[in-house]
Amino acid sequence: MNHLPLIIKREYLTKVKNKSFIIMTFLSPLIFMSLIAVVAYLTQLNKNKIRVVSILDESGLVSNVFKNSENTSYNILEGMSLDDAKALVQESEGYGLLYVNAISEEKLTSENLTFYSEESPSLTLISNLEGKIQSELTLQNRIKEGIDIDKLKATKVNIEINQESFEGEKTSKVDSVVKLIFGGAAGYLLFMFIIIYGNMIMRSVIEEKTSRIIEVIISSVKPVQLMLGKIIGTSLAGITQFVIWVILGGVLMTVASLILGIDMSEMQTPQQQIMEQAMENPEVNVQLQNSITAFYNLPLANLVVAFLLFFIGGYLLYSSLYAAIGAAVDNETDTQQFMLPIIMPLVLAVYIGIFTVIEDPHGTVSTVFSFIPLTSPVVMLMRIPFGVPIWQQVLSLLILVGSFMFTVWFAAKIYRVGILMYGKKPSYKELIKWIKY
Amino acid sequence: MNNLLEVNNVSKYFGDFKALNDVSISIPRGSIFGLLGPNGAGKTTLIRVINQITMPDSGSVILDGEPLSQKHIMDIGYLPEERGLYKSMKVGEQAIYLAQLKGLSKAEAKKRLKYWFERLEIGDWWDKKIQELSKGMAQKIQFVVTVLHEPKLLIFDEPFSGFDPINANLIKDEILRLRENGATVIFSTHRMESVEELCDDIALIHKSNKILDGNLVDVKRQYKINTYEVGIRAKNQMLLEQELSEKFNVSKANFKTLEDELKLNIKLQQNGKPNDLLSYLTQKGEVSHFVELIPSVNDIFIQAVNNN
């Protein structure tokens, strides 16, 4: 008799009907979105505040390069001593004072420049000031040396090397970034999914043990069936939650931006400001278009299929281990010693993905770890956007499926014995013994 | 086939530990079979083997003439000693789920549950969660779930623990009624008085071995102690007692009488006849009490365990 659908249905319904599950499902996006809204709101507040920066230029070389901008206004001070200027700025509660020393040899160097302020100044402001002074001084130097500025500009050359694989597939630097984002998102999603819902499976096994219903259940059902039912049921509940999160997040995002009048997409961070400045540069605009084409250049079909297969395989592999841990212990506090060997390869996989795959997606480390079953789902998902030969994907998947079947067998053994063991905190040695029972 | 269940030479090891050593028992159809033994003797392991929760290392189990297989799951109802239900699930939902696992259809399960809930007067619990019920109430639900699919073989491990006397009696009557309807019952317990009361056959398991089994009356006959409880009135009781203790194996007895009289337990020789004793006693005084002592299951249990 196949009870699997029945078990899956029960597991799914109890998870979904659980109060804390419902609350988490609907509250999480709300909390998340309100956090974003608060940050957005604060950023806007920040944006509206105008910083007053006073300039005391004793050299007279740079005072005319400072033009007031949206959130910084410059106050040019003249004919006063440094001490007076400091006192004035402090009194008027200005943001700070840039002091340029009088120069003797007509050469302005870093030693002549000092910024005085109450608190340490913002990094972007300082680099902004530095940039302005730097380009002004460079310009002055060039003029002094008799260099034709227009000619100089005209001689400047911009180079970008085209990348093409031997098969004729075109790529570019922007492509790499897009690929990275795709692979990273896929790998990270799997990582989060395993941790959240793996734990949920473990808890539900422990719950069955502590409520002592387990013996009744397995007098009707094979332990493997119960375990698989639990894993699949919980995963379906997890997918439901995820989908609701995505939908609700989208709706809330729209509602929030309508009500609060905050345009989320225009939320500005310093990085974005720099980006925007760069956008004015026509070259970058081309790059943006490149990134759109890069998206279409991705091996999309391969990506989607591989994502589904590796996601399912990796998730099932880990969740069967979680189920085995749940069966081996009596309560959640005892799970710690067994959690480490699960979390370790998972974290390792993410680190390898972030540090090694970016640097060298087809290097030895990336390739090897994309075959080792505990790390392969994450690492391979991150590698695939960079184009992995089909035979490697298939091989990795076969290894994954093989080890998944092995872990299910292994977990089922531990599960079968563990669920009937009470009161003892098992050691690894004992777990090995259980397999022989 | 006279026996519903036959366990043949079953052994089970857990690592180096031998949980069952070559155990064989036969359970007659329609009987109530007492499975006795001290804690840790291997009773639960044997029950789990019968339930196919644990696979035996050697030996076989025959149910209704066929080797035990997956399809027999719906022929067995098992109430384990460690009881439990899903705490946060509603009573009705949970009972239906468990019945479906035993192969009943949803509609059939619902119909039978309605009947049982009415019978045990627990109909208004249907929508309650288990965590809202008392322990005894939850036990009642569990009992219903165990018998709902009308299995041929019912296995109860300490069925009365957790019940108050009234409910324990109710459950006892239900077990007897189920037997009348054709079910065979395995009954594992430490409570010897309920064994005396209910069981037709027993088996005693001690340190992984079966040390005794058979029909309860036969077992008692086997453990007959050939001892009679005697009450006798005589002029000089002291003298009579001395005389008797020279002739027989005698110990003090304790029972209620109207008059003050000599109360003794007299053990006969291997081939001594009670009639001979009685006629001897009637010459000595007036016999008011003459009863054969039958060993209780408790005595047999203790004696058998100690002898091993």
Side-chain angles (χ1 to χ4, degrees), chain A residues 133-382:
Chain A
I133 296 172
Q134 216 165 287
S135 52
E136 172 64 19
L137 290 180
T138 311
L139 188 69
Q140 286 180 13
N141 276 347
R142 284 175 184 165
I143 292 171
K144 211 183 296 168
E145 297 293 330
I147 297 168
D148 190 325
I149 304 301
D150 290 331
K151 270 188 183 165
L152 188 71
K153 262 191 191 159
T155 53
K156 209 179 169 204
V157 177
N158 259 315
I159 285 293
E160 196 177 335
I161 297 178
N162 293 315
Q163 301 169 25
E164 197 169 317
S165 71
F166 288 124
E167 282 84 37
E169 223 178 290
K170 281 185 181 150
T171 52
S172 69
K173 264 189 302 188
V174 191
D175 276 10
S176 297
V177 175
V178 172
K179 284 168 181 172
L180 206 71
I181 291 170
F182 252 78
Y188 196 69
L189 196 67
L190 174 61
F191 175 74
M192 289 305 292
F193 210 82
I194 287 174
I195 289 197
I196 296 176
Y197 299 105
N199 257 303
M200 204 182 248
I201 290 170
M202 192 178 73
R203 274 202 304 276
S204 116
V205 175
I206 294 175
E207 186 220 323
E208 237 162 42
K209 252 187 105 170
T210 45
S211 72
R212 311 266 159 154
I213 193 174
I214 193 77
E215 205 166 342
V216 176
I217 302 282
I218 60 168
S219 69
S220 325
V221 176
K222 279 191 180 152
V224 184
Q225 261 183 24
L226 180 62
M227 192 179 85
L228 284 178
K230 251 180 196 318
I231 290 173
I232 297 171
T234 309
S235 314
L236 290 178
I239 291 168
T240 310
Q241 193 171 45
F242 237 77
V243 168
I244 293 177
W245 277 348
V246 169
I247 293 173
L248 219 61
V251 169
L252 279 174
M253 181 106 92
T254 324
V255 170
S257 56
L258 282 179
I259 292 176
L260 298 174
I262 300 167
D263 195 344
M264 299 278 180
S265 59
E266 265 188 20
M267 229 181 79
Q268 286 198 331
T269 59
Q271 289 85 339
Q272 276 175 322
Q273 279 179 21
I274 292 168
M275 285 254 294
E276 253 172 47
Q277 280 168 10
M279 281 303 183
E280 288 156 19
N281 196 332
E283 290 158 26
V284 182
N285 231 336
V286 173
Q287 285 198 344
L288 188 72
Q289 281 178 343
N290 276 350
S291 68
I292 294 168
T293 44
F295 175 79
Y296 288 111
N297 278 343
L298 282 175
L300 274 181
N302 182 355
L303 228 125
V304 169
V305 172
F307 176 75
L308 286 177
L309 290 178
F310 278 97
F311 194 90
I312 293 170
Y315 173 70
L316 290 181
L317 178 70
Y318 273 98
S319 49
S320 61
L321 289 177
Y322 270 104
I325 292 178
V329 299
D330 274 355
N331 53 60
E332 246 185 292
T333 42
D334 287 348
T335 58
Q336 304 293 350
Q337 57 164 335
F338 299 115
M339 291 299 281
L340 196 66
I342 290 196
I343 299 293
M344 283 277 277
L346 210 51
V347 173
L348 184 72
V350 171
Y351 275 115
I352 288 172
I354 291 174
F355 292 117
T356 318
V357 174
I358 293 176
E359 195 49 44
D360 189 1
H362 305 305
T364 319
V365 178
S366 312
T367 312
V368 167
F369 279 99
S370 62
F371 285 111
I372 296 174
L374 282 175
T375 54
S376 67
V378 173
V379 177
M380 193 53 109
L381 278 183
M382 289 189 173

Side-chain angles (χ1 to χ4, degrees), chain B residues 190 192-193 196 220 295-304:
Chain B
H190 292 123
M192 296 307 159
E193 71 277 10
E196 302 263 7
K220 288 200 167 187
S296 66
V297 178
N298 203 32
D299 296 335
I300 295 171
F301 182 98
I302 292 168
Q303 203 189 330

Side-chain angles (χ1 to χ4, degrees), chain B residues 1-6 25-34 50 62-64 75-78 146-147 150-156 174-187 198 200-201:
Chain B
M1 267 323 260
N2 216 11
N3 292 331
L4 178 74
L5 184 82
E6 283 185 28
I25 55 172
S26 309
I27 297 177
R29 200 181 292 274
S31 68
I32 296 185
F33 189 93
I50 297 169
I62 309 287
L63 181 73
D64 214 2
D75 292 332
I76 300 179
Y78 175 34
T146 309
V147 303
E150 296 173 0
K152 291 178 197 161
L153 179 64
L154 283 163
I155 303 175
F156 297 113
E174 288 302 334
I175 292 176
L176 288 170
R177 205 178 58 90
L178 285 163
R179 192 259 298 263
E180 265 165 45
N181 291 347
T184 306
V185 179
I186 296 178
F187 184 37
L198 291 172
D200 311 307
D201 299 82

